């Protein structure tokens, strides 16, 4: 009989403990739900602060992680929206200036506000130069937005030495006019890499154009490519006016222009180097710049072989 009583007492105690534990867990979950409703009402800076045991803690951890992910997504979306607004503002400003000049000078011709045929020729020439400036901006903007939007890269096997020779040849006439020696060196030669020929050609053309336009007083522009293990390092260097140290970290930002000799007056769009970085990033490479009184050098590092996928196998250049 005592044993029976003891068993009944133990049974009652077990039921009581189970009920208490169940009530405690329900209380915890109610607390969690209360915290969750508080966060859902817009308090995204709040996190569930207490620690539970077992699966309840996993729920709390998951909720906090979900809120963190949501906050990060919202911040990233705002950043993208701000970036788009800045892009529109900058483009509008850069297009308005030459367009105002074009309308102004052609308006003088339209209203017969000139004294001679030479004035007409001069006004039309200025309008023509401003129109070319607008064209350059539109083309650079199109290229920048294309690479930023994830345009497909068409990798193929190509000879980098041949590409650099072609880039050098395309600038020979301009270099001759400016009394600048332009050369390319590739070691070894030929040097085969996986790359998009059109996009990579744009990279080195932009870097050479940048050196020709802003390297005031330069006597040379050299393109030097060297294989370093599984990578290739290409340096585009000139001995012209150095870039101020304060500007070096910002050169690859879109619409950034260095004061002085590298200002807007030179006709640059401020997108050339941003395009360079975007294309190099798509090639899984890196680009950096150094500048002192001896030399300004842009160094591009690229892998010899791009990651292979079933849908993206490098083909042989024809």
């Amino acid at each position: 009989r005592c044993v029976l009583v003891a068993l009944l007492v133990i049974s009652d105690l077990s039921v009581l403990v189970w009920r208490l534990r169940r009530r405690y867990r329900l209380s915890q979950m109610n607390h969690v739900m209360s915290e969750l409703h508080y966060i859902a009402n817009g308090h995204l800076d709040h996190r569930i602060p207490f620690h539970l045991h077992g699966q309840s803690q996993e729920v709390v951890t998951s909720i906090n992680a979900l809120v963190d992910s949501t906050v990060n997504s919202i911040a990233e979306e705002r950043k993208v929206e701000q970036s788009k607004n800045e892009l529109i503002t900058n483009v509008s400003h850069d297009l308005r200036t030459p367009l105002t000049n074009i309308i102004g000078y052609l308006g003088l011709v339209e209203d017969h506000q000139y004294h001679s045929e030479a004035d007409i020729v001069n006004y039309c020439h200025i309008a023509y130069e401003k129109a070319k400036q607008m064209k350059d901006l539109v083309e650079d903007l199109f290229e920048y937005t294309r690479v930023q939007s994830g345009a497909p890269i068409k990798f193929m096997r190509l000879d980098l030495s041949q590409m650099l020779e072609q880039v050098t040849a395309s600038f020979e006439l301009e270099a001759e006019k400016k009394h600048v020696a332009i050369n390319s060196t590739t070691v070894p030669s030929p040097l085969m890499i996986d790359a998009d020929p059109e996009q990579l050609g744009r990279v080195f053309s932009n870097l050479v154009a940048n050196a020709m336009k802003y390297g005031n007083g330069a006597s040379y522009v050299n393109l030097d490519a060297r294989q370093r293990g599984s990578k290739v390092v290409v340096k585009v260097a000139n001995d012209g006016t150095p870039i101020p140290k304060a500007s070096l970290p910002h050169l690859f930002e879109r619409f950034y222009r260095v004061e002085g000799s590298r200002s807007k007056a030179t006709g640059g769009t401020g997108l050339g180097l941003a395009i360079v970085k975007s294309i190099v990033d798509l090639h899984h490479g890196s680009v950096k710049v150094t500048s002192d009184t001896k030399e300004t050098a842009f160094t591009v590092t690229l892998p010899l072989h791009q990651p292979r996928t079933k849908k993206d196998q490098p083909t042989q250049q024809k």
Side-chain angles (χ1 to χ4, degrees):
R1 185 175 180 181
C2 292
V3 173
L4 180 60
V5 171
L7 290 174
L8 290 173
V9 170
I10 293 173
S11 177
D12 289 341
L13 288 174
S14 298
V15 172
L16 178 62
V17 170
W18 177 80
R19 287 180 176 177
L20 289 175
R21 292 182 62 182
R22 183 171 178 270
R23 182 174 297 178
Y24 177 69
R25 288 175 180 173
L26 287 175
S27 175
Q28 286 182 328
M29 292 309 299
N30 286 334
H31 197 175
V32 170
M33 292 302 297
S34 176
E35 293 281 334
L36 184 57
H37 284 305
Y38 180 76
I39 294 173
N41 286 330
H43 302 89
L44 296 179
D45 57 339
H46 181 73
R47 300 294 179 272
I48 299 177
F50 47 85
H51 296 277
L52 307 177
H53 298 286
Q55 293 182 344
S56 297
Q57 181 57 40
E58 293 180 7
V59 173
V60 170
T61 302
S62 298
I63 290 174
N64 286 338
L66 179 60
V67 175
D68 287 336
S69 177
T70 302
V71 170
N72 291 334
S73 297
I74 293 174
E76 187 64 26
E77 185 176 347
R78 287 175 178 172
K79 184 178 179 181
V80 171
E81 189 65 27
Q82 181 181 0
S83 180
K84 289 180 179 179
N85 291 336
E86 290 176 354
L87 179 62
I88 293 173
T89 300
N90 287 327
V91 171
S92 299
H93 178 269
D94 282 8
L95 286 176
R96 182 176 59 187
T97 301
L99 185 59
T100 299
N101 288 327
I102 292 171
I103 294 174
Y105 282 104
L106 292 182
L108 293 176
V109 177
E110 178 73 14
D111 296 336
H112 299 89
Q113 296 183 23
Y114 52 84
H115 301 289
S116 64
E117 185 177 341
D119 286 343
I120 298 177
V121 172
N122 183 44
Y123 296 161
C124 290
H125 175 72
I126 295 174
Y128 172 71
E129 291 297 325
K130 295 300 179 181
K132 287 200 302 181
Q133 184 179 335
M134 289 180 62
K135 178 176 177 290
D136 291 340
L137 175 60
V138 171
E139 289 180 347
D140 280 352
L141 180 63
F142 174 79
E143 183 66 24
Y144 177 77
T145 53
R146 189 166 75 92
V147 296
Q148 284 291 308
S149 64
I153 296 292
K154 299 178 181 178
F155 291 121
M156 63 175 58
R157 201 75 178 151
L158 59 86
D159 182 4
L160 184 61
S161 59
Q162 188 178 70
M163 170 180 285
L164 295 183
E165 287 175 2
Q166 292 174 350
V167 171
T168 301
S170 68
F171 284 92
E172 282 182 349
L173 183 59
E174 181 180 354
E176 184 178 349
K177 290 180 179 179
K178 295 185 175 183
H179 306 289
V180 175
I182 182 168
N183 299 286
S184 66
T185 304
T186 307
V187 179
S189 181
L191 178 51
M192 306 302 295
I193 67 169
D194 295 340
D196 184 316
E198 180 182 352
Q199 297 290 346
L200 197 59
R202 182 66 181 264
V203 166
F204 297 119
S205 291
N206 280 13
L207 291 177
V208 174
N210 189 77
M212 298 293 293
K213 183 178 292 184
Y214 304 119
N216 297 330
S219 63
Y220 68 82
V221 173
N222 289 337
L223 290 79
D224 183 270
R226 307 270 171 168
Q227 182 176 344
R228 298 283 187 262
S230 62
K231 298 182 181 297
V232 59
V233 179
V234 185
K235 184 169 75 170
V236 180
N238 73 87
D239 60 343
T241 304
I243 304 171
K245 289 185 178 180
S247 297
L248 292 178
H250 306 288
L251 286 182
F252 298 103
E253 298 174 5
R254 67 186 185 197
F255 294 108
Y256 181 82
R257 298 184 180 93
V258 181
E259 297 297 329
S261 63
R262 297 173 183 261
S263 68
K264 186 175 177 179
T266 60
T269 64
L271 287 172
L273 294 180
I275 292 171
V276 166
K277 187 177 187 310
S278 296
I279 295 175
V280 171
D281 287 344
L282 291 174
H283 280 74
H284 307 98
S286 63
V287 57
K288 65 179 182 179
V289 57
T290 57
S291 185
D292 54 34
T293 54
K294 293 182 179 180
E295 188 176 74
T296 294
F298 287 84
T299 303
V300 177
T301 302
L302 299 167
L304 290 174
H305 302 283
Q306 293 292 331
R308 305 278 183 102
T309 65
K310 293 182 179 180
K311 294 182 179 181
D312 184 22
Q313 293 285 352
T315 57
Q316 188 71 30
Q317 185 183 35
K318 296 181 180 179

PDB file of all heavy atoms in Angstrom, residues 61-85:
ATOM      1  N   THR A  61      17.967  32.777 -31.937  1.00  0.00           N
ATOM      2  CA  THR A  61      19.132  33.044 -32.785  1.00  0.00           C
ATOM      3  C   THR A  61      18.725  33.257 -34.235  1.00  0.00           C
ATOM      4  O   THR A  61      19.224  34.169 -34.913  1.00  0.00           O
ATOM      5  CB  THR A  61      20.138  31.881 -32.693  1.00  0.00           C
ATOM      6  OG1 THR A  61      20.531  31.699 -31.328  1.00  0.00           O
ATOM      7  CG2 THR A  61      21.361  32.159 -33.550  1.00  0.00           C
ATOM      8  N   SER A  62      17.793  32.432 -34.718  1.00  0.00           N
ATOM      9  CA  SER A  62      17.329  32.560 -36.100  1.00  0.00           C
ATOM     10  C   SER A  62      16.606  33.880 -36.322  1.00  0.00           C
ATOM     11  O   SER A  62      16.774  34.534 -37.368  1.00  0.00           O
ATOM     12  CB  SER A  62      16.403  31.390 -36.458  1.00  0.00           C
ATOM     13  OG  SER A  62      17.085  30.171 -36.377  1.00  0.00           O
ATOM     14  N   ILE A  63      15.795  34.288 -35.353  1.00  0.00           N
ATOM     15  CA  ILE A  63      15.067  35.558 -35.472  1.00  0.00           C
ATOM     16  C   ILE A  63      16.049  36.725 -35.529  1.00  0.00           C
ATOM     17  O   ILE A  63      15.935  37.621 -36.386  1.00  0.00           O
ATOM     18  CB  ILE A  63      14.084  35.732 -34.297  1.00  0.00           C
ATOM     19  CG1 ILE A  63      12.937  34.738 -34.417  1.00  0.00           C
ATOM     20  CG2 ILE A  63      13.544  37.160 -34.258  1.00  0.00           C
ATOM     21  CD1 ILE A  63      11.998  34.737 -33.231  1.00  0.00           C
ATOM     22  N   ASN A  64      17.035  36.740 -34.632  1.00  0.00           N
ATOM     23  CA  ASN A  64      18.032  37.817 -34.625  1.00  0.00           C
ATOM     24  C   ASN A  64      18.824  37.850 -35.926  1.00  0.00           C
ATOM     25  O   ASN A  64      19.113  38.923 -36.467  1.00  0.00           O
ATOM     26  CB  ASN A  64      18.969  37.654 -33.438  1.00  0.00           C
ATOM     27  CG  ASN A  64      18.316  38.033 -32.115  1.00  0.00           C
ATOM     28  OD1 ASN A  64      17.342  38.781 -32.085  1.00  0.00           O
ATOM     29  ND2 ASN A  64      18.839  37.514 -31.012  1.00  0.00           N
ATOM     30  N   ALA A  65      19.180  36.667 -36.430  1.00  0.00           N
ATOM     31  CA  ALA A  65      19.921  36.594 -37.693  1.00  0.00           C
ATOM     32  C   ALA A  65      19.066  37.099 -38.849  1.00  0.00           C
ATOM     33  O   ALA A  65      19.559  37.791 -39.753  1.00  0.00           O
ATOM     34  CB  ALA A  65      20.372  35.159 -37.958  1.00  0.00           C
ATOM     35  N   LEU A  66      17.770  36.768 -38.832  1.00  0.00           N
ATOM     36  CA  LEU A  66      16.852  37.224 -39.886  1.00  0.00           C
ATOM     37  C   LEU A  66      16.712  38.742 -39.863  1.00  0.00           C
ATOM     38  O   LEU A  66      16.701  39.397 -40.917  1.00  0.00           O
ATOM     39  CB  LEU A  66      15.491  36.560 -39.701  1.00  0.00           C
ATOM     40  CG  LEU A  66      14.409  36.947 -40.718  1.00  0.00           C
ATOM     41  CD1 LEU A  66      14.847  36.581 -42.125  1.00  0.00           C
ATOM     42  CD2 LEU A  66      13.086  36.270 -40.377  1.00  0.00           C
ATOM     43  N   VAL A  67      16.618  39.311 -38.654  1.00  0.00           N
ATOM     44  CA  VAL A  67      16.519  40.773 -38.540  1.00  0.00           C
ATOM     45  C   VAL A  67      17.806  41.429 -39.053  1.00  0.00           C
ATOM     46  O   VAL A  67      17.763  42.439 -39.770  1.00  0.00           O
ATOM     47  CB  VAL A  67      16.232  41.181 -37.081  1.00  0.00           C
ATOM     48  CG1 VAL A  67      16.246  42.706 -36.954  1.00  0.00           C
ATOM     49  CG2 VAL A  67      14.892  40.639 -36.632  1.00  0.00           C
ATOM     50  N   ASP A  68      18.954  40.863 -38.691  1.00  0.00           N
ATOM     51  CA  ASP A  68      20.231  41.401 -39.185  1.00  0.00           C
ATOM     52  C   ASP A  68      20.279  41.370 -40.706  1.00  0.00           C
ATOM     53  O   ASP A  68      20.704  42.340 -41.350  1.00  0.00           O
ATOM     54  CB  ASP A  68      21.406  40.587 -38.624  1.00  0.00           C
ATOM     55  CG  ASP A  68      21.642  40.853 -37.144  1.00  0.00           C
ATOM     56  OD1 ASP A  68      21.240  41.937 -36.676  1.00  0.00           O
ATOM     57  OD2 ASP A  68      22.236  39.997 -36.468  1.00  0.00           O
ATOM     58  N   SER A  69      19.843  40.264 -41.288  1.00  0.00           N
ATOM     59  CA  SER A  69      19.842  40.132 -42.749  1.00  0.00           C
ATOM     60  C   SER A  69      18.907  41.142 -43.389  1.00  0.00           C
ATOM     61  O   SER A  69      19.233  41.757 -44.423  1.00  0.00           O
ATOM     62  CB  SER A  69      19.418  38.709 -43.127  1.00  0.00           C
ATOM     63  OG  SER A  69      19.331  38.559 -44.527  1.00  0.00           O
ATOM     64  N   THR A  70      17.742  41.347 -42.772  1.00  0.00           N
ATOM     65  CA  THR A  70      16.776  42.322 -43.299  1.00  0.00           C
ATOM     66  C   THR A  70      17.331  43.735 -43.251  1.00  0.00           C
ATOM     67  O   THR A  70      17.211  44.507 -44.220  1.00  0.00           O
ATOM     68  CB  THR A  70      15.470  42.253 -42.493  1.00  0.00           C
ATOM     69  OG1 THR A  70      14.930  40.929 -42.558  1.00  0.00           O
ATOM     70  CG2 THR A  70      14.448  43.245 -43.030  1.00  0.00           C
ATOM     71  N   VAL A  71      17.961  44.080 -42.118  1.00  0.00           N
ATOM     72  CA  VAL A  71      18.545  45.412 -41.972  1.00  0.00           C
ATOM     73  C   VAL A  71      19.647  45.627 -43.007  1.00  0.00           C
ATOM     74  O   VAL A  71      19.741  46.688 -43.635  1.00  0.00           O
ATOM     75  CB  VAL A  71      19.103  45.595 -40.546  1.00  0.00           C
ATOM     76  CG1 VAL A  71      19.939  46.875 -40.460  1.00  0.00           C
ATOM     77  CG2 VAL A  71      17.965  45.648 -39.539  1.00  0.00           C
ATOM     78  N   ASN A  72      20.482  44.607 -43.204  1.00  0.00           N
ATOM     79  CA  ASN A  72      21.555  44.714 -44.193  1.00  0.00           C
ATOM     80  C   ASN A  72      20.998  44.876 -45.602  1.00  0.00           C
ATOM     81  O   ASN A  72      21.528  45.655 -46.408  1.00  0.00           O
ATOM     82  CB  ASN A  72      22.469  43.491 -44.124  1.00  0.00           C
ATOM     83  CG  ASN A  72      23.283  43.436 -42.848  1.00  0.00           C
ATOM     84  OD1 ASN A  72      23.555  44.471 -42.231  1.00  0.00           O
ATOM     85  ND2 ASN A  72      23.698  42.248 -42.437  1.00  0.00           N
ATOM     86  N   SER A  73      19.935  44.146 -45.903  1.00  0.00           N
ATOM     87  CA  SER A  73      19.312  44.247 -47.222  1.00  0.00           C
ATOM     88  C   SER A  73      18.724  45.637 -47.452  1.00  0.00           C
ATOM     89  O   SER A  73      18.858  46.211 -48.545  1.00  0.00           O
ATOM     90  CB  SER A  73      18.212  43.191 -47.373  1.00  0.00           C
ATOM     91  OG  SER A  73      18.742  41.895 -47.301  1.00  0.00           O
ATOM     92  N   ILE A  74      18.072  46.176 -46.420  1.00  0.00           N
ATOM     93  CA  ILE A  74      17.505  47.526 -46.531  1.00  0.00           C
ATOM     94  C   ILE A  74      18.607  48.555 -46.734  1.00  0.00           C
ATOM     95  O   ILE A  74      18.493  49.461 -47.571  1.00  0.00           O
ATOM     96  CB  ILE A  74      16.678  47.856 -45.270  1.00  0.00           C
ATOM     97  CG1 ILE A  74      15.437  46.968 -45.196  1.00  0.00           C
ATOM     98  CG2 ILE A  74      16.267  49.331 -45.262  1.00  0.00           C
ATOM     99  CD1 ILE A  74      14.642  47.133 -43.911  1.00  0.00           C
ATOM    100  N   ALA A  75      19.703  48.412 -45.973  1.00  0.00           N
ATOM    101  CA  ALA A  75      20.826  49.349 -46.095  1.00  0.00           C
ATOM    102  C   ALA A  75      21.451  49.263 -47.483  1.00  0.00           C
ATOM    103  O   ALA A  75      21.795  50.294 -48.085  1.00  0.00           O
ATOM    104  CB  ALA A  75      21.873  49.054 -45.022  1.00  0.00           C
ATOM    105  N   GLU A  76      21.578  48.041 -48.003  1.00  0.00           N
ATOM    106  CA  GLU A  76      22.154  47.859 -49.330  1.00  0.00           C
ATOM    107  C   GLU A  76      21.241  48.445 -50.401  1.00  0.00           C
ATOM    108  O   GLU A  76      21.709  49.083 -51.359  1.00  0.00           O
ATOM    109  CB  GLU A  76      22.371  46.376 -49.600  1.00  0.00           C
ATOM    110  CG  GLU A  76      23.112  46.064 -50.889  1.00  0.00           C
ATOM    111  CD  GLU A  76      24.524  46.583 -50.895  1.00  0.00           C
ATOM    112  OE1 GLU A  76      25.117  46.734 -49.800  1.00  0.00           O
ATOM    113  OE2 GLU A  76      25.042  46.853 -52.001  1.00  0.00           O
ATOM    114  N   GLU A  77      19.930  48.263 -50.229  1.00  0.00           N
ATOM    115  CA  GLU A  77      18.974  48.817 -51.189  1.00  0.00           C
ATOM    116  C   GLU A  77      19.013  50.343 -51.179  1.00  0.00           C
ATOM    117  O   GLU A  77      18.972  50.980 -52.242  1.00  0.00           O
ATOM    118  CB  GLU A  77      17.572  48.325 -50.845  1.00  0.00           C
ATOM    119  CG  GLU A  77      16.508  48.753 -51.848  1.00  0.00           C
ATOM    120  CD  GLU A  77      15.139  48.174 -51.539  1.00  0.00           C
ATOM    121  OE1 GLU A  77      15.073  47.253 -50.699  1.00  0.00           O
ATOM    122  OE2 GLU A  77      14.151  48.657 -52.123  1.00  0.00           O
ATOM    123  N   ARG A  78      19.134  50.912 -49.996  1.00  0.00           N
ATOM    124  CA  ARG A  78      19.235  52.373 -49.907  1.00  0.00           C
ATOM    125  C   ARG A  78      20.528  52.869 -50.539  1.00  0.00           C
ATOM    126  O   ARG A  78      20.556  53.917 -51.188  1.00  0.00           O
ATOM    127  CB  ARG A  78      19.169  52.795 -48.444  1.00  0.00           C
ATOM    128  CG  ARG A  78      17.779  52.664 -47.815  1.00  0.00           C
ATOM    129  CD  ARG A  78      17.796  52.986 -46.335  1.00  0.00           C
ATOM    130  NE  ARG A  78      16.459  52.903 -45.749  1.00  0.00           N
ATOM    131  CZ  ARG A  78      16.224  52.997 -44.449  1.00  0.00           C
ATOM    132  NH1 ARG A  78      17.223  53.192 -43.598  1.00  0.00           N
ATOM    133  NH2 ARG A  78      14.976  52.906 -44.006  1.00  0.00           N
ATOM    134  N   LYS A  79      21.588  52.103 -50.340  1.00  0.00           N
ATOM    135  CA  LYS A  79      22.875  52.475 -50.930  1.00  0.00           C
ATOM    136  C   LYS A  79      22.811  52.445 -52.450  1.00  0.00           C
ATOM    137  O   LYS A  79      23.322  53.343 -53.125  1.00  0.00           O
ATOM    138  CB  LYS A  79      23.957  51.512 -50.429  1.00  0.00           C
ATOM    139  CG  LYS A  79      25.357  51.849 -50.904  1.00  0.00           C
ATOM    140  CD  LYS A  79      26.365  50.879 -50.321  1.00  0.00           C
ATOM    141  CE  LYS A  79      27.776  51.209 -50.832  1.00  0.00           C
ATOM    142  NZ  LYS A  79      28.772  50.235 -50.281  1.00  0.00           N
ATOM    143  N   VAL A  80      22.164  51.417 -52.995  1.00  0.00           N
ATOM    144  CA  VAL A  80      22.010  51.316 -54.443  1.00  0.00           C
ATOM    145  C   VAL A  80      21.161  52.464 -54.974  1.00  0.00           C
ATOM    146  O   VAL A  80      21.478  53.073 -56.007  1.00  0.00           O
ATOM    147  CB  VAL A  80      21.368  49.962 -54.821  1.00  0.00           C
ATOM    148  CG1 VAL A  80      20.988  49.937 -56.295  1.00  0.00           C
ATOM    149  CG2 VAL A  80      22.333  48.819 -54.508  1.00  0.00           C
ATOM    150  N   GLU A  81      20.078  52.780 -54.249  1.00  0.00           N
ATOM    151  CA  GLU A  81      19.200  53.876 -54.669  1.00  0.00           C
ATOM    152  C   GLU A  81      19.943  55.209 -54.638  1.00  0.00           C
ATOM    153  O   GLU A  81      19.809  56.030 -55.557  1.00  0.00           O
ATOM    154  CB  GLU A  81      17.977  53.935 -53.752  1.00  0.00           C
ATOM    155  CG  GLU A  81      16.898  54.902 -54.215  1.00  0.00           C
ATOM    156  CD  GLU A  81      16.262  54.498 -55.522  1.00  0.00           C
ATOM    157  OE1 GLU A  81      16.251  53.292 -55.834  1.00  0.00           O
ATOM    158  OE2 GLU A  81      15.781  55.400 -56.238  1.00  0.00           O
ATOM    159  N   GLN A  82      20.728  55.418 -53.580  1.00  0.00           N
ATOM    160  CA  GLN A  82      21.517  56.640 -53.484  1.00  0.00           C
ATOM    161  C   GLN A  82      22.545  56.711 -54.606  1.00  0.00           C
ATOM    162  O   GLN A  82      22.785  57.774 -55.191  1.00  0.00           O
ATOM    163  CB  GLN A  82      22.218  56.712 -52.128  1.00  0.00           C
ATOM    164  CG  GLN A  82      23.045  57.981 -51.934  1.00  0.00           C
ATOM    165  CD  GLN A  82      23.751  58.005 -50.592  1.00  0.00           C
ATOM    166  OE1 GLN A  82      23.630  57.070 -49.796  1.00  0.00           O
ATOM    167  NE2 GLN A  82      24.497  59.060 -50.333  1.00  0.00           N
ATOM    168  N   SER A  83      23.134  55.552 -54.911  1.00  0.00           N
ATOM    169  CA  SER A  83      24.114  55.504 -55.984  1.00  0.00           C
ATOM    170  C   SER A  83      23.481  55.858 -57.329  1.00  0.00           C
ATOM    171  O   SER A  83      24.064  56.588 -58.132  1.00  0.00           O
ATOM    172  CB  SER A  83      24.730  54.101 -56.048  1.00  0.00           C
ATOM    173  OG  SER A  83      25.688  54.018 -57.075  1.00  0.00           O
ATOM    174  N   LYS A  84      22.266  55.360 -57.562  1.00  0.00           N
ATOM    175  CA  LYS A  84      21.563  55.682 -58.807  1.00  0.00           C
ATOM    176  C   LYS A  84      21.251  57.172 -58.883  1.00  0.00           C
ATOM    177  O   LYS A  84      21.418  57.804 -59.936  1.00  0.00           O
ATOM    178  CB  LYS A  84      20.270  54.875 -58.903  1.00  0.00           C
ATOM    179  CG  LYS A  84      20.476  53.395 -59.155  1.00  0.00           C
ATOM    180  CD  LYS A  84      19.137  52.678 -59.237  1.00  0.00           C
ATOM    181  CE  LYS A  84      19.320  51.191 -59.513  1.00  0.00           C
ATOM    182  NZ  LYS A  84      18.029  50.463 -59.569  1.00  0.00           N
ATOM    183  N   ASN A  85      20.805  57.733 -57.763  1.00  0.00           N
ATOM    184  CA  ASN A  85      20.490  59.162 -57.745  1.00  0.00           C
ATOM    185  C   ASN A  85      21.728  60.012 -58.003  1.00  0.00           C
ATOM    186  O   ASN A  85      21.673  61.016 -58.735  1.00  0.00           O
ATOM    187  CB  ASN A  85      19.870  59.540 -56.393  1.00  0.00           C
ATOM    188  CG  ASN A  85      18.487  58.947 -56.192  1.00  0.00           C
ATOM    189  OD1 ASN A  85      17.795  58.643 -57.172  1.00  0.00           O
ATOM    190  ND2 ASN A  85      18.082  58.775 -54.955  1.00  0.00           N
TER     191      ASN A  85
END
